[in-house]
Amino acid sequence: MLDGFRQIYGEIPYILSGVGVTLAYAVIAVIFGFFGGTILATVKVSNNRFLRLFGAFYTSIFRGTPLLLQLFIIYFAVPQILGVCISAFAAGIIAFSLNSSAYVSEIIRAGIKSVDHGQYEVAKVLGCSKLQIMRDIIFPQAIRNVLPSLANEMIDLLKESALVSVIGEADLLRRAHIVASEHYLYLEPLLVAGLCYYTLIMVLSAFAKLIEKKLSC
Amino acid sequence: MLEVNKLSCNIGENTILSDISFKVLSGEICTIIGGSGAGKTTILRILCGLEGRFSGDILINNRKIHRNTHYFGLVPQGCSLFNHFTAIDNVAYALRKVKKYSKERAYTIATESLEKFGLSDKLSSYPSSLSGGQKQRVAIARTIVMKPKILLFDEPTSALDPEITRDVVDTIRILSATGMPIIVVTHDLSMARQIATRVIFLDNGNVIEDREAKEFFTKPHSERAKCFLGENI
């Protein structure tokens, strides 16, 4: 194995540069997914039946089909309908964000439901508006309650970003695979990629724990 | 003075309250007692605007009111403090967001109010580090600073030990001394006996008795009330 590592030594920086690509997908999709999921969660707990149905339908579609299928539809099928080309990067970001929104919305909805309803009622009697109650009272507590689940979703997203290698994006996994094919050595480049994923996820977990600790009161 | 005329509440096919009328005068502590499902909490929810499915009139100082919220202050069962806020933030929040007071003014009022309730050393404490009685006092302070005309307590002593219950009873008495009409919904007969000046006894959504507390506790008229009070008469 050591010999194998010696052979691919010069290629390791090439594999490592994939970290940036993987991170770009994960970070951008996490941000969009969080905002999308928050809006969708608000829709799901609203009093409007139509909005609630829309929220449930959206989630069922994105949870009920494979992420790879969603990625293929956005990358291959949407250009066929709209007649415009979508870059692999944009397709990846759109697919991951839409998919993540569905999962995040369920997590945040559960968080909103976990906050004692009495607080909502007290704030209402005190004269606060619905927006104030959601923004200042319910939402901060909901997020605090579901932080571990949100961190899990981010970790999943980081790992699932490897799917973009299928549509030709040179992310961490794809680069490891290219190096493997060139050298007919699979274990070593894949181990390098695995170590990178592992390190990224450990850093992310530590960061999530830090925020969790800071928000606890 | 609060006057409730022919208040009825039907939810689905269930009649929660049927044609209830009563008055609460200034300085009175009116306790509403009755078994589970009698409709006690529903009255409070209607009064403070949390339950809209009702018919009947609510009058304050002989004026009919429509939007109830700012007339009534509610101290709910279990306090429902905002857990991510400190005690002072809990009290100052509505002053800032609803009354639009400046940060400085809101916090000055909140500090004074909490000090009045003996919580000057708990201003920066989160609800998780407060005792049951302290939480109750923060909840009362949070309600009082909004200057409601009538104060409503929903089961203020549920899950509190006797010592803290005494504490809460004293606080309610002090508030009553300011002339504010107070309604306390409770199933804690011993507390009702200590603080009530008037008792409304509810059963199945009907007012069975509405009398001076002393009379009610010593000589209840109805068989239902006698049965409810049992050995406590």
Side-chain angles (χ1 to χ4, degrees):
Chain A
M1 194 163 79
L2 211 62
D3 205 40
F5 275 114
R6 253 185 233 122
Q7 282 187 52
I8 65 151
Y9 183 74
E11 309 278 12
I12 288 177
Y14 172 71
I15 299 174
L16 291 183
S17 59
V19 169
V21 180
T22 293
L23 265 181
Y25 275 101
V27 170
I28 298 173
V30 157
I31 293 169
F32 282 129
F34 181 75
F35 283 108
T38 305
I39 294 167
L40 209 54
T42 318
V43 158
K44 284 177 181 175
V45 296
S46 79
N47 291 328
N48 187 314
R49 195 162 160 258
F50 175 76
L51 285 177
R52 282 204 312 270
L53 272 173
F54 168 76
F57 178 69
Y58 180 96
T59 306
S60 76
I61 293 291
F62 281 93
R63 281 203 310 194
T65 56
L67 176 55
L68 190 57
L69 175 88
Q70 294 158 21
L71 184 64
F72 278 177
I73 286 178
I74 289 162
Y75 188 61
F76 297 116
V78 170
Q80 184 190 325
I81 303 163
L82 299 180
V84 283
C85 254
I86 298 176
S87 68
F89 184 74
I93 294 292
I94 294 170
F96 296 146
S97 302
L98 293 177
N99 182 275
S100 181
S101 295
Y103 285 93
V104 168
S105 73
E106 275 303 288
I107 294 170
I108 294 179
R109 189 183 66 85
I112 290 171
K113 295 279 177 196
S114 75
V115 178
D116 161 34
H117 191 64
Q119 292 184 36
Y120 180 90
E121 294 190 335
V122 166
K124 207 174 157 193
V125 176
L126 287 170
C128 303
S129 69
K130 270 187 185 172
L131 177 70
Q132 286 171 335
I133 299 173
M134 282 308 284
R135 189 191 57 204
D136 301 336
I137 310 288
I138 307 295
F139 199 67
Q141 293 183 77
I143 293 296
R144 200 185 64 189
N145 292 350
V146 297
L147 214 56
S149 306
L150 278 177
N152 247 347
E153 171 58 22
M154 285 179 204
I155 287 168
D156 273 351
L157 200 60
L158 193 109
K159 289 188 287 188
E160 280 168 357
S161 70
L163 286 178
V164 288
S165 61
V166 180
I167 55 171
E169 188 68 282
D171 75 324
L172 194 52
L173 184 62
R174 174 106 176 135
R175 283 167 195 250
H177 196 249
I178 290 169
V179 172
S181 309
E182 278 176 1
H183 293 266
Y184 296 106
L185 276 171
Y186 280 87
L187 181 64
E188 292 80 0
L190 290 177
L191 272 181
V192 172
L195 190 69
C196 289
Y197 278 116
Y198 184 75
T199 311
L200 284 175
I201 286 163
M202 286 305 106
V203 170
L204 188 63
S205 301
F207 185 62
K209 272 207 177 106
L210 197 77
I211 296 177
E212 208 178 318
K213 207 173 162 187
K214 207 170 173 193
L215 287 180
S216 69
C217 50
Chain B
M1 184 188 73
L2 168 73
E3 195 176 342
V4 170
N5 278 335
K6 298 199 167 181
L7 195 66
S8 292
C9 174
N10 296 296
I11 297 175
E13 290 181 358
N14 299 324
T15 301
I16 313 293
L17 297 172
S18 46
D19 271 355
I20 280 184
S21 299
F22 62 88
K23 283 180 188 172
V24 185
L25 306 175
S26 296
E28 238 182 8
I29 303 177
C30 172
T31 60
I32 301 178
I33 60 173
S36 296
K40 309 185 294 284
T41 299
T42 307
I43 294 180
L44 290 201
R45 293 179 63 80
I46 290 172
L47 289 177
C48 62
L50 291 173
E51 179 56 66
R53 292 166 288 185
F54 72 92
S55 61
D57 297 330
I58 300 165
L59 294 93
I60 292 180
N61 297 332
N62 299 320
R63 278 180 61 186
K64 197 170 160 182
I65 57 161
H66 297 285
R67 268 190 59 80
N68 313 5
T69 41
H70 66 277
Y71 293 102
F72 294 92
L74 172 71
V75 181
Q77 184 170 14
C79 304
S80 293
L81 293 181
F82 308 135
N83 291 324
H84 60 312
F85 285 169
T86 58
I88 193 163
D89 288 333
N90 261 281
V91 181
Y93 177 73
L95 288 173
R96 292 193 62 201
K97 301 290 174 172
V98 180
K99 298 223 169 195
K100 307 284 179 202
Y101 287 177
S102 67
K103 192 176 176 182
E104 200 185 356
R105 190 174 171 203
Y107 278 84
T108 308
I109 294 172
T111 308
E112 283 169 4
S113 180
L114 286 169
E115 279 172 353
K116 218 185 284 174
F117 286 108
L119 293 166
S120 47
D121 57 335
K122 299 288 177 190
L123 300 181
S124 308
S125 301
Y126 284 96
S128 57
S129 62
L130 297 175
S131 72
Q134 288 166 339
K135 279 183 195 168
Q136 193 70 257
R137 278 180 278 160
V138 174
I140 295 170
R142 177 177 64 180
T143 306
I144 289 294
V145 290
M146 297 302 284
K147 297 197 185 313
K149 293 204 184 315
I150 292 149
L151 203 51
L152 312 171
F153 285 87
D154 190 9
E155 303 284 5
T157 55
S158 66
L160 296 184
D161 65 43
E163 201 180 355
I164 296 173
T165 298
R166 271 199 300 279
D167 202 25
V168 172
V169 164
D170 290 341
T171 309
I172 294 175
R173 278 200 185 122
I174 291 167
L175 291 170
S176 168
T178 63
M180 189 185 286
I182 294 175
I183 299 179
V184 181
V185 158
T186 184
H187 61 254
D188 181 350
L189 290 177
S190 126
M191 191 214 45
R193 208 183 271 270
Q194 286 179 63
I195 56 165
T197 54
R198 168 182 292 280
V199 173
I200 294 173
F201 178 63
L202 279 186
D203 188 43
N204 274 330
N206 293 294
V207 174
I208 307 292
E209 299 207 25
D210 176 1
R211 304 166 54 202
E212 291 282 318
K214 249 184 202 164
E215 274 180 51
F216 176 80
F217 284 114
T218 50
K219 288 177 197 161
H221 285 172
S222 62
E223 283 306 312
R224 183 70 191 93
K226 281 178 194 165
C227 182
F228 184 78
L229 293 172
E231 294 169 356
N232 292 301
I233 300 174

